[in-house]
Amino acid sequence: AAVALLTNIAQCHLRAEPPCLDKALQYADEALRLDASSVKALFRRGKALLEMKDYASAHLTLAKAAELEPKDPGIRSELAKAQQLAQKQESGKRFRF
């Protein structure tokens, strides 16, 4: 029950206007401390990291969620977005002098 509550609070922070991304990340991380295989917590954490522009971490987190729920279209969509943005960000870093 605690994990569900924490993931719901994380979702509220993600949907707030403006979003409270650090709080969403904090609650998702707390849920993951209680249950490291919580797909909802991984998804919320990945979405928060994506919005924080930490694309590589978002990709790793969402990839783990996708391993646990391979057919979830929401996870697949966010994972593809994170992968594309992480690659773009990485290639941008390589060409900076």
Side-chain angles (χ1 to χ4, degrees), residues 4 7 10 18-20 24 29 33 37 47 50 52 56 65 67 70 74 76 78 84 87 90 92-93 95:
T7 58
C20 300
D29 283 342
R33 276 190 274 286
S37 63
K47 283 188 67 99
L50 198 57
M52 296 168 104
E67 281 178 32
R76 305 301 307 171
E78 294 297 312
Q84 182 181 28
Q87 287 171 344
E90 188 56 37
K93 285 180 184 175
F95 294 111

Side-chain angles (χ1 to χ4, degrees), residues 23-72:
K23 291 279 190 190
L25 187 61
Q26 177 186 338
Y27 282 101
D29 283 342
E30 186 61 32
L32 288 167
R33 276 190 274 286
L34 296 175
D35 179 3
S37 63
S38 168
V39 175
K40 275 190 180 180
L42 288 165
F43 184 67
R44 307 273 195 264
R45 182 177 198 278
K47 283 188 67 99
L49 290 166
L50 198 57
E51 293 300 317
M52 296 168 104
K53 298 182 178 17
D54 186 349
Y55 303 129
S57 296
H59 180 260
L60 289 172
T61 301
L62 291 164
K64 186 168 182 181
E67 281 178 32
L68 297 168
E69 281 291 335
K71 294 182 180 173
D72 185 297

Side-chain angles (χ1 to χ4, degrees), residues 6-16 24 27 43-44 47:
L6 292 166
T7 58
N8 287 344
I9 294 170
Q11 177 71 350
C12 289
H13 285 296
L14 284 170
R15 289 189 175 180
Y27 282 101
F43 184 67
R44 307 273 195 264
K47 283 188 67 99

